[in-house]
């Protein structure tokens, strides 16, 4: 088998890249370890920056998002008995975010790919990468009991944090940067109306809490818990009681509870690998970086990597500008580190750390107070939250 771009992973990164390339006439094949049902069963974040919204439109996979997605002009920060609104639209000269679940983004992209007729192999457990530095790179994997070879010009490693692509780069090439936080998020999905029209991020003495949503009838709420916490120890009742205890009193009173549809604990981690390319292999999305979910940047960073690789490949295939390939990692990393910084900062500002003494707590409250009380501070939060601009490929 032969293609121009071999894509490993059918998460949002792989599917979005595949769709953009296909629409531009660049042939690609996606190889995914899991089944489509498994991929769609993962519940992830749900706030899209304008850049990602535009990219989904460019990919022709935005119809349902444009109908059902919720445009949010702002969000709330609750701390120290106060609730302060960050007016994204006003502070950024008109920019907003789109609340639309990652699961739905993935479903829309899967449907678009199916309709396009492009090739995707699901449930392929043993992808291997070969000749990354050679003239002719290729993948091998098993299909219906037979070993298949997929020859290609380029490989996009869109296979997430636990994927095979990053691990196929020889030792000594990559430098890893990592911070693991001493807590996790317990998330609950429920068919209840959102407690507030906009998201509420709450800093509370008992720990962080977040009120988010998927639609006018479906909510996603989180509370900070210990990193080792077991989801079995959290009955719905215990979760709702804990969430309410961390929200402003009048918000807690309004909160409508209900049975959970999904409940899970996620660890919080910051991670970046440099460089994001090796020979003909390009790492995209979670394969190269992880952010803690506090700034809602994970999916959006995947989208900006996709945009960068897509625009470079377009120039390579249409204009013969092969020299641009060398720039992929540098261009991506500039934006990634800024989002890493913002996600780390939001996490530091909003969570309770095990070693937080009385002094650190006052500093944290003062930092929040300073940022929301100053126009410059609110602008800084807003411009990062809506997403920093994509760097053009020239
Ligand atoms: N072979 C083939 N596919 C693989 C392999 C492998 N060895 N290992 C992993 N995969 C697949 C996974 O099953 C998954 O479907 O790669 C896909 C990676 O998808 P994600 O983990 O969702 O990563 P990505 O597409 O980069 O999406 C970015 O944004 O909100 C964040 O972390 C969140 O998933 C999210 C991400
Ligand atoms: C979510 O809706 O799951 C969500 C929203 C905002 C975040 C993180 C998660 O910062």
């Amino acid at each position: 088998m032969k293609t121009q771009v071999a894509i490993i992973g059918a998460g949002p990164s792989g599917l979005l890249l595949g769709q953009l390339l296909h629409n531009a006439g660049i042939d690609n094949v996606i190889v995914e370890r899991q089944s489509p049902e498994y991929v769609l069963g993962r519940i992830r974040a749900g706030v899209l920056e304008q850049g990602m919204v535009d990219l989904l439109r460019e990919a022709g996979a935005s119809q349902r998002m444009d109908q059902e997605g919720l445009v949010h002009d702002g969000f709330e920060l609750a701390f120290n008995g106060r609730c302060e609104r960050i007016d994204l639209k006003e502070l950024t000269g008109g920019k907003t975010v789109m609340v639309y679940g990652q699961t739905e983004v993935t479903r829309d992209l899967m449907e678009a790919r199916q309709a396009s007729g492009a090739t995707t192999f699901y449930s392929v457990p043993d992808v291997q990468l070969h000749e990354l530095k050679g003239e002719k790179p290729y993948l091998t994997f098993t299909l219906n009991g037979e070993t298949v070879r997929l020859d290609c010009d380029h490989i996009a490693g869109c296979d997430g944090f636990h994927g095979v692509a990053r691990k196929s780069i020889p030792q000594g090439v990559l430098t890893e940067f990592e911070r693991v936080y001493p807590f996790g998020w317990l998330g609950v999905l429920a068919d209840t109306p959102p407690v507030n029209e906009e998201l509420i991020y709450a800093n509370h003495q008992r720990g962080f809490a977040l009120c988010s949503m998927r639609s006018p009838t479906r909510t996603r709420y989180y509370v900070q818990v210990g990193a080792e916490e077991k989801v079995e120890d959290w009955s719905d009742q215990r979760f709702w009681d804990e969430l309410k205890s961390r929200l402003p009193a009048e918000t807690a009173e309004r909160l409508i509870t209900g049975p959970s549809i999904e409940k899970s604990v996620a660890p919080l981690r910051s991670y970046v690998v440099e460089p994001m390319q090796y020979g003909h292999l390009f790492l995209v999305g979670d394969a190269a970086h992880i952010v803690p979910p506090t700034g809602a940047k994970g999916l959006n960073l995947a989208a900006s990597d996709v945009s960068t690789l897509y625009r470079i490949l377009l120039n390579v295939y249409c204009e013969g500008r092969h020299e641009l390939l060398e720039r992929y990692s540098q261009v991506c990393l500039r934006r990634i580190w800024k989002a890493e910084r913002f996600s780390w900062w939001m996490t530091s500002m909003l969570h309770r750390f095990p070693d937080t003494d009385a002094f650190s707590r006052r500093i944290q409250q003062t930092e929040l107070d300073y940022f929301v009380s100053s126009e410059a501070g609110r602008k800084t939060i807003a411009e990062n939250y809506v997403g920093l601009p994509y760097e053009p490929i020239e």
Side-chain angles (χ1 to χ4, degrees), residues 235-264:
S235 65
D236 286 1
Q237 191 58 48
R238 182 175 174 208
F239 176 82
W240 293 122
D241 289 347
E242 188 59 42
L243 176 64
K244 282 184 183 181
S245 76
R246 299 183 187 188
L247 297 175
E250 60 89 24
T251 309
E253 271 165 37
R254 280 191 278 131
L255 186 98
I256 297 175
T257 64
S260 64
I261 324 173
E262 195 264 359
K263 202 189 283 160
S264 50

PDB file of all heavy atoms in Angstrom, residues 235-264:
ATOM      1  N   SER A 235     -19.698   8.564  45.694  1.00  0.00           N
ATOM      2  CA  SER A 235     -21.104   8.411  45.292  1.00  0.00           C
ATOM      3  C   SER A 235     -21.518   9.724  44.631  1.00  0.00           C
ATOM      4  O   SER A 235     -20.863  10.755  44.823  1.00  0.00           O
ATOM      5  CB  SER A 235     -21.982   8.157  46.516  1.00  0.00           C
ATOM      6  OG  SER A 235     -21.948   9.304  47.347  1.00  0.00           O
ATOM      7  N   ASP A 236     -22.606   9.704  43.877  1.00  0.00           N
ATOM      8  CA  ASP A 236     -23.102  10.956  43.288  1.00  0.00           C
ATOM      9  C   ASP A 236     -23.351  11.992  44.384  1.00  0.00           C
ATOM     10  O   ASP A 236     -22.987  13.155  44.258  1.00  0.00           O
ATOM     11  CB  ASP A 236     -24.400  10.707  42.503  1.00  0.00           C
ATOM     12  CG  ASP A 236     -24.129   9.997  41.177  1.00  0.00           C
ATOM     13  OD1 ASP A 236     -22.951   9.699  40.886  1.00  0.00           O
ATOM     14  OD2 ASP A 236     -25.107   9.737  40.442  1.00  0.00           O
ATOM     15  N   GLN A 237     -23.970  11.530  45.479  1.00  0.00           N
ATOM     16  CA  GLN A 237     -24.314  12.450  46.568  1.00  0.00           C
ATOM     17  C   GLN A 237     -23.071  13.130  47.130  1.00  0.00           C
ATOM     18  O   GLN A 237     -23.041  14.347  47.336  1.00  0.00           O
ATOM     19  CB  GLN A 237     -25.046  11.680  47.687  1.00  0.00           C
ATOM     20  CG  GLN A 237     -25.680  12.584  48.728  1.00  0.00           C
ATOM     21  CD  GLN A 237     -26.684  13.561  48.112  1.00  0.00           C
ATOM     22  OE1 GLN A 237     -27.547  13.154  47.326  1.00  0.00           O
ATOM     23  NE2 GLN A 237     -26.560  14.848  48.431  1.00  0.00           N
ATOM     24  N   ARG A 238     -22.022  12.320  47.337  1.00  0.00           N
ATOM     25  CA  ARG A 238     -20.786  12.893  47.889  1.00  0.00           C
ATOM     26  C   ARG A 238     -20.215  13.934  46.923  1.00  0.00           C
ATOM     27  O   ARG A 238     -19.755  15.003  47.337  1.00  0.00           O
ATOM     28  CB  ARG A 238     -19.760  11.772  48.140  1.00  0.00           C
ATOM     29  CG  ARG A 238     -18.489  12.312  48.745  1.00  0.00           C
ATOM     30  CD  ARG A 238     -17.492  11.231  49.123  1.00  0.00           C
ATOM     31  NE  ARG A 238     -16.252  11.857  49.559  1.00  0.00           N
ATOM     32  CZ  ARG A 238     -15.043  11.317  49.471  1.00  0.00           C
ATOM     33  NH1 ARG A 238     -14.906  10.086  48.986  1.00  0.00           N
ATOM     34  NH2 ARG A 238     -13.984  11.965  49.876  1.00  0.00           N
ATOM     35  N   PHE A 239     -20.266  13.623  45.621  1.00  0.00           N
ATOM     36  CA  PHE A 239     -19.753  14.566  44.625  1.00  0.00           C
ATOM     37  C   PHE A 239     -20.526  15.887  44.662  1.00  0.00           C
ATOM     38  O   PHE A 239     -19.950  16.976  44.741  1.00  0.00           O
ATOM     39  CB  PHE A 239     -19.809  13.972  43.211  1.00  0.00           C
ATOM     40  CG  PHE A 239     -19.382  14.960  42.162  1.00  0.00           C
ATOM     41  CD1 PHE A 239     -18.036  15.155  41.902  1.00  0.00           C
ATOM     42  CD2 PHE A 239     -20.319  15.730  41.473  1.00  0.00           C
ATOM     43  CE1 PHE A 239     -17.621  16.101  40.963  1.00  0.00           C
ATOM     44  CE2 PHE A 239     -19.915  16.682  40.548  1.00  0.00           C
ATOM     45  CZ  PHE A 239     -18.559  16.863  40.282  1.00  0.00           C
ATOM     46  N   TRP A 240     -21.862  15.790  44.626  1.00  0.00           N
ATOM     47  CA  TRP A 240     -22.672  17.023  44.585  1.00  0.00           C
ATOM     48  C   TRP A 240     -22.453  17.847  45.854  1.00  0.00           C
ATOM     49  O   TRP A 240     -22.356  19.072  45.795  1.00  0.00           O
ATOM     50  CB  TRP A 240     -24.165  16.687  44.420  1.00  0.00           C
ATOM     51  CG  TRP A 240     -24.512  16.068  43.094  1.00  0.00           C
ATOM     52  CD1 TRP A 240     -25.099  14.854  42.892  1.00  0.00           C
ATOM     53  CD2 TRP A 240     -24.319  16.635  41.788  1.00  0.00           C
ATOM     54  NE1 TRP A 240     -25.273  14.613  41.539  1.00  0.00           N
ATOM     55  CE2 TRP A 240     -24.804  15.688  40.835  1.00  0.00           C
ATOM     56  CE3 TRP A 240     -23.779  17.827  41.310  1.00  0.00           C
ATOM     57  CZ2 TRP A 240     -24.772  15.912  39.466  1.00  0.00           C
ATOM     58  CZ3 TRP A 240     -23.746  18.051  39.938  1.00  0.00           C
ATOM     59  CH2 TRP A 240     -24.236  17.102  39.036  1.00  0.00           C
ATOM     60  N   ASP A 241     -22.369  17.175  47.002  1.00  0.00           N
ATOM     61  CA  ASP A 241     -22.158  17.905  48.263  1.00  0.00           C
ATOM     62  C   ASP A 241     -20.818  18.636  48.233  1.00  0.00           C
ATOM     63  O   ASP A 241     -20.720  19.793  48.648  1.00  0.00           O
ATOM     64  CB  ASP A 241     -22.191  16.935  49.454  1.00  0.00           C
ATOM     65  CG  ASP A 241     -23.607  16.416  49.727  1.00  0.00           C
ATOM     66  OD1 ASP A 241     -24.563  17.006  49.167  1.00  0.00           O
ATOM     67  OD2 ASP A 241     -23.741  15.418  50.462  1.00  0.00           O
ATOM     68  N   GLU A 242     -19.788  17.936  47.729  1.00  0.00           N
ATOM     69  CA  GLU A 242     -18.453  18.546  47.701  1.00  0.00           C
ATOM     70  C   GLU A 242     -18.427  19.729  46.726  1.00  0.00           C
ATOM     71  O   GLU A 242     -17.891  20.792  47.037  1.00  0.00           O
ATOM     72  CB  GLU A 242     -17.407  17.496  47.294  1.00  0.00           C
ATOM     73  CG  GLU A 242     -15.971  17.957  47.410  1.00  0.00           C
ATOM     74  CD  GLU A 242     -15.574  18.375  48.830  1.00  0.00           C
ATOM     75  OE1 GLU A 242     -15.965  17.673  49.797  1.00  0.00           O
ATOM     76  OE2 GLU A 242     -14.891  19.409  48.970  1.00  0.00           O
ATOM     77  N   LEU A 243     -19.039  19.533  45.549  1.00  0.00           N
ATOM     78  CA  LEU A 243     -19.077  20.608  44.559  1.00  0.00           C
ATOM     79  C   LEU A 243     -19.761  21.843  45.155  1.00  0.00           C
ATOM     80  O   LEU A 243     -19.230  22.957  45.085  1.00  0.00           O
ATOM     81  CB  LEU A 243     -19.813  20.130  43.300  1.00  0.00           C
ATOM     82  CG  LEU A 243     -20.014  21.172  42.202  1.00  0.00           C
ATOM     83  CD1 LEU A 243     -18.681  21.638  41.619  1.00  0.00           C
ATOM     84  CD2 LEU A 243     -20.898  20.628  41.076  1.00  0.00           C
ATOM     85  N   LYS A 244     -20.934  21.624  45.753  1.00  0.00           N
ATOM     86  CA  LYS A 244     -21.693  22.762  46.311  1.00  0.00           C
ATOM     87  C   LYS A 244     -20.898  23.486  47.388  1.00  0.00           C
ATOM     88  O   LYS A 244     -20.961  24.711  47.493  1.00  0.00           O
ATOM     89  CB  LYS A 244     -23.011  22.258  46.913  1.00  0.00           C
ATOM     90  CG  LYS A 244     -24.069  21.960  45.878  1.00  0.00           C
ATOM     91  CD  LYS A 244     -25.343  21.582  46.603  1.00  0.00           C
ATOM     92  CE  LYS A 244     -26.436  21.190  45.649  1.00  0.00           C
ATOM     93  NZ  LYS A 244     -27.663  20.842  46.363  1.00  0.00           N
ATOM     94  N   SER A 245     -20.147  22.730  48.185  1.00  0.00           N
ATOM     95  CA  SER A 245     -19.408  23.354  49.289  1.00  0.00           C
ATOM     96  C   SER A 245     -18.313  24.287  48.773  1.00  0.00           C
ATOM     97  O   SER A 245     -17.836  25.146  49.497  1.00  0.00           O
ATOM     98  CB  SER A 245     -18.797  22.286  50.193  1.00  0.00           C
ATOM     99  OG  SER A 245     -17.644  21.724  49.565  1.00  0.00           O
ATOM    100  N   ARG A 246     -17.915  24.106  47.493  1.00  0.00           N
ATOM    101  CA  ARG A 246     -16.817  24.919  46.950  1.00  0.00           C
ATOM    102  C   ARG A 246     -17.304  26.086  46.084  1.00  0.00           C
ATOM    103  O   ARG A 246     -16.491  26.859  45.570  1.00  0.00           O
ATOM    104  CB  ARG A 246     -15.887  24.030  46.106  1.00  0.00           C
ATOM    105  CG  ARG A 246     -15.255  22.916  46.915  1.00  0.00           C
ATOM    106  CD  ARG A 246     -14.293  22.092  46.084  1.00  0.00           C
ATOM    107  NE  ARG A 246     -13.820  20.931  46.815  1.00  0.00           N
ATOM    108  CZ  ARG A 246     -12.861  20.115  46.401  1.00  0.00           C
ATOM    109  NH1 ARG A 246     -12.272  20.346  45.245  1.00  0.00           N
ATOM    110  NH2 ARG A 246     -12.499  19.078  47.126  1.00  0.00           N
ATOM    111  N   LEU A 247     -18.618  26.183  45.882  1.00  0.00           N
ATOM    112  CA  LEU A 247     -19.152  27.241  45.012  1.00  0.00           C
ATOM    113  C   LEU A 247     -19.700  28.384  45.860  1.00  0.00           C
ATOM    114  O   LEU A 247     -20.050  28.186  47.028  1.00  0.00           O
ATOM    115  CB  LEU A 247     -20.276  26.668  44.135  1.00  0.00           C
ATOM    116  CG  LEU A 247     -19.864  25.566  43.162  1.00  0.00           C
ATOM    117  CD1 LEU A 247     -21.093  25.004  42.436  1.00  0.00           C
ATOM    118  CD2 LEU A 247     -18.839  26.080  42.142  1.00  0.00           C
ATOM    119  N   PRO A 248     -19.810  29.584  45.279  1.00  0.00           N
ATOM    120  CA  PRO A 248     -20.453  30.667  46.003  1.00  0.00           C
ATOM    121  C   PRO A 248     -21.862  30.224  46.444  1.00  0.00           C
ATOM    122  O   PRO A 248     -22.541  29.499  45.699  1.00  0.00           O
ATOM    123  CB  PRO A 248     -20.539  31.796  44.969  1.00  0.00           C
ATOM    124  CG  PRO A 248     -19.488  31.477  43.958  1.00  0.00           C
ATOM    125  CD  PRO A 248     -19.367  30.000  43.934  1.00  0.00           C
ATOM    126  N   ALA A 249     -22.290  30.654  47.642  1.00  0.00           N
ATOM    127  CA  ALA A 249     -23.527  30.137  48.251  1.00  0.00           C
ATOM    128  C   ALA A 249     -24.730  30.239  47.310  1.00  0.00           C
ATOM    129  O   ALA A 249     -25.494  29.277  47.157  1.00  0.00           O
ATOM    130  CB  ALA A 249     -23.805  30.871  49.557  1.00  0.00           C
ATOM    131  N   GLU A 250     -24.868  31.395  46.647  1.00  0.00           N
ATOM    132  CA  GLU A 250     -26.079  31.534  45.813  1.00  0.00           C
ATOM    133  C   GLU A 250     -26.002  30.663  44.547  1.00  0.00           C
ATOM    134  O   GLU A 250     -27.028  30.230  44.025  1.00  0.00           O
ATOM    135  CB  GLU A 250     -26.402  33.011  45.528  1.00  0.00           C
ATOM    136  CG  GLU A 250     -25.343  33.796  44.793  1.00  0.00           C
ATOM    137  CD  GLU A 250     -25.519  33.690  43.290  1.00  0.00           C
ATOM    138  OE1 GLU A 250     -26.643  33.424  42.840  1.00  0.00           O
ATOM    139  OE2 GLU A 250     -24.504  33.863  42.576  1.00  0.00           O
ATOM    140  N   THR A 251     -24.810  30.337  44.108  1.00  0.00           N
ATOM    141  CA  THR A 251     -24.660  29.407  42.980  1.00  0.00           C
ATOM    142  C   THR A 251     -25.013  27.996  43.442  1.00  0.00           C
ATOM    143  O   THR A 251     -25.751  27.260  42.770  1.00  0.00           O
ATOM    144  CB  THR A 251     -23.207  29.420  42.441  1.00  0.00           C
ATOM    145  OG1 THR A 251     -22.821  30.756  42.199  1.00  0.00           O
ATOM    146  CG2 THR A 251     -23.081  28.616  41.157  1.00  0.00           C
ATOM    147  N   ALA A 252     -24.495  27.620  44.613  1.00  0.00           N
ATOM    148  CA  ALA A 252     -24.764  26.279  45.164  1.00  0.00           C
ATOM    149  C   ALA A 252     -26.264  26.055  45.338  1.00  0.00           C
ATOM    150  O   ALA A 252     -26.784  24.970  45.065  1.00  0.00           O
ATOM    151  CB  ALA A 252     -24.031  26.106  46.488  1.00  0.00           C
ATOM    152  N   GLU A 253     -26.959  27.106  45.765  1.00  0.00           N
ATOM    153  CA  GLU A 253     -28.422  26.975  45.970  1.00  0.00           C
ATOM    154  C   GLU A 253     -29.150  26.698  44.666  1.00  0.00           C
ATOM    155  O   GLU A 253     -30.139  25.980  44.631  1.00  0.00           O
ATOM    156  CB  GLU A 253     -28.984  28.281  46.556  1.00  0.00           C
ATOM    157  CG  GLU A 253     -28.950  28.309  48.060  1.00  0.00           C
ATOM    158  CD  GLU A 253     -29.161  29.722  48.585  1.00  0.00           C
ATOM    159  OE1 GLU A 253     -29.958  30.472  47.981  1.00  0.00           O
ATOM    160  OE2 GLU A 253     -28.490  30.068  49.586  1.00  0.00           O
ATOM    161  N   ARG A 254     -28.646  27.301  43.575  1.00  0.00           N
ATOM    162  CA  ARG A 254     -29.306  27.151  42.265  1.00  0.00           C
ATOM    163  C   ARG A 254     -28.985  25.817  41.597  1.00  0.00           C
ATOM    164  O   ARG A 254     -29.626  25.437  40.625  1.00  0.00           O
ATOM    165  CB  ARG A 254     -28.805  28.250  41.319  1.00  0.00           C
ATOM    166  CG  ARG A 254     -29.443  29.596  41.479  1.00  0.00           C
ATOM    167  CD  ARG A 254     -29.041  30.498  40.318  1.00  0.00           C
ATOM    168  NE  ARG A 254     -27.728  31.096  40.521  1.00  0.00           N
ATOM    169  CZ  ARG A 254     -26.745  31.102  39.635  1.00  0.00           C
ATOM    170  NH1 ARG A 254     -26.891  30.507  38.475  1.00  0.00           N
ATOM    171  NH2 ARG A 254     -25.597  31.694  39.892  1.00  0.00           N
ATOM    172  N   LEU A 255     -27.926  25.152  42.059  1.00  0.00           N
ATOM    173  CA  LEU A 255     -27.409  23.965  41.346  1.00  0.00           C
ATOM    174  C   LEU A 255     -28.424  22.824  41.360  1.00  0.00           C
ATOM    175  O   LEU A 255     -28.906  22.422  42.411  1.00  0.00           O
ATOM    176  CB  LEU A 255     -26.101  23.499  41.995  1.00  0.00           C
ATOM    177  CG  LEU A 255     -25.430  22.361  41.238  1.00  0.00           C
ATOM    178  CD1 LEU A 255     -24.322  22.896  40.338  1.00  0.00           C
ATOM    179  CD2 LEU A 255     -24.834  21.339  42.178  1.00  0.00           C
ATOM    180  N   ILE A 256     -28.731  22.341  40.165  1.00  0.00           N
ATOM    181  CA  ILE A 256     -29.642  21.190  40.066  1.00  0.00           C
ATOM    182  C   ILE A 256     -28.800  19.935  39.894  1.00  0.00           C
ATOM    183  O   ILE A 256     -27.944  19.873  39.009  1.00  0.00           O
ATOM    184  CB  ILE A 256     -30.627  21.366  38.896  1.00  0.00           C
ATOM    185  CG1 ILE A 256     -31.496  22.597  39.165  1.00  0.00           C
ATOM    186  CG2 ILE A 256     -31.487  20.123  38.698  1.00  0.00           C
ATOM    187  CD1 ILE A 256     -32.439  22.958  38.044  1.00  0.00           C
ATOM    188  N   THR A 257     -29.027  18.960  40.758  1.00  0.00           N
ATOM    189  CA  THR A 257     -28.249  17.721  40.707  1.00  0.00           C
ATOM    190  C   THR A 257     -29.055  16.631  40.007  1.00  0.00           C
ATOM    191  O   THR A 257     -30.255  16.804  39.744  1.00  0.00           O
ATOM    192  CB  THR A 257     -27.872  17.260  42.125  1.00  0.00           C
ATOM    193  OG1 THR A 257     -29.085  16.943  42.810  1.00  0.00           O
ATOM    194  CG2 THR A 257     -27.118  18.339  42.884  1.00  0.00           C
ATOM    195  N   GLY A 258     -28.399  15.525  39.708  1.00  0.00           N
ATOM    196  CA  GLY A 258     -29.080  14.403  39.056  1.00  0.00           C
ATOM    197  C   GLY A 258     -28.117  13.237  38.991  1.00  0.00           C
ATOM    198  O   GLY A 258     -26.946  13.376  39.376  1.00  0.00           O
ATOM    199  N   PRO A 259     -28.567  12.097  38.477  1.00  0.00           N
ATOM    200  CA  PRO A 259     -27.672  10.945  38.401  1.00  0.00           C
ATOM    201  C   PRO A 259     -26.527  11.192  37.418  1.00  0.00           C
ATOM    202  O   PRO A 259     -26.729  11.828  36.382  1.00  0.00           O
ATOM    203  CB  PRO A 259     -28.577   9.800  37.914  1.00  0.00           C
ATOM    204  CG  PRO A 259     -29.814  10.444  37.414  1.00  0.00           C
ATOM    205  CD  PRO A 259     -29.926  11.814  37.982  1.00  0.00           C
ATOM    206  N   SER A 260     -25.332  10.716  37.751  1.00  0.00           N
ATOM    207  CA  SER A 260     -24.192  10.904  36.837  1.00  0.00           C
ATOM    208  C   SER A 260     -24.292   9.911  35.680  1.00  0.00           C
ATOM    209  O   SER A 260     -24.733   8.783  35.854  1.00  0.00           O
ATOM    210  CB  SER A 260     -22.877  10.683  37.590  1.00  0.00           C
ATOM    211  OG  SER A 260     -22.796   9.356  38.042  1.00  0.00           O
ATOM    212  N   ILE A 261     -23.883  10.361  34.481  1.00  0.00           N
ATOM    213  CA  ILE A 261     -23.826   9.442  33.330  1.00  0.00           C
ATOM    214  C   ILE A 261     -22.403   8.911  33.191  1.00  0.00           C
ATOM    215  O   ILE A 261     -22.162   7.857  32.635  1.00  0.00           O
ATOM    216  CB  ILE A 261     -24.149  10.158  31.992  1.00  0.00           C
ATOM    217  CG1 ILE A 261     -25.204  11.240  32.140  1.00  0.00           C
ATOM    218  CG2 ILE A 261     -24.540   9.165  30.917  1.00  0.00           C
ATOM    219  CD1 ILE A 261     -25.368  12.032  30.855  1.00  0.00           C
ATOM    220  N   GLU A 262     -21.443   9.697  33.639  1.00  0.00           N
ATOM    221  CA  GLU A 262     -20.039   9.284  33.579  1.00  0.00           C
ATOM    222  C   GLU A 262     -19.332   9.964  34.730  1.00  0.00           C
ATOM    223  O   GLU A 262     -19.654  11.094  35.094  1.00  0.00           O
ATOM    224  CB  GLU A 262     -19.422   9.736  32.251  1.00  0.00           C
ATOM    225  CG  GLU A 262     -18.105   9.079  31.905  1.00  0.00           C
ATOM    226  CD  GLU A 262     -16.869   9.887  32.298  1.00  0.00           C
ATOM    227  OE1 GLU A 262     -17.021  11.012  32.852  1.00  0.00           O
ATOM    228  OE2 GLU A 262     -15.763   9.418  32.079  1.00  0.00           O
ATOM    229  N   LYS A 263     -18.361   9.247  35.303  1.00  0.00           N
ATOM    230  CA  LYS A 263     -17.620   9.806  36.433  1.00  0.00           C
ATOM    231  C   LYS A 263     -16.198   9.261  36.333  1.00  0.00           C
ATOM    232  O   LYS A 263     -16.017   8.050  36.187  1.00  0.00           O
ATOM    233  CB  LYS A 263     -18.272   9.315  37.725  1.00  0.00           C
ATOM    234  CG  LYS A 263     -17.982  10.176  38.938  1.00  0.00           C
ATOM    235  CD  LYS A 263     -18.483   9.505  40.199  1.00  0.00           C
ATOM    236  CE  LYS A 263     -19.985   9.612  40.391  1.00  0.00           C
ATOM    237  NZ  LYS A 263     -20.491   8.600  41.323  1.00  0.00           N
ATOM    238  N   SER A 264     -15.201  10.136  36.353  1.00  0.00           N
ATOM    239  CA  SER A 264     -13.826   9.639  36.230  1.00  0.00           C
ATOM    240  C   SER A 264     -12.842  10.605  36.876  1.00  0.00           C
ATOM    241  O   SER A 264     -13.128  11.798  37.026  1.00  0.00           O
ATOM    242  CB  SER A 264     -13.465   9.445  34.749  1.00  0.00           C
ATOM    243  OG  SER A 264     -13.791  10.607  34.016  1.00  0.00           O
TER     244      SER A 264
END
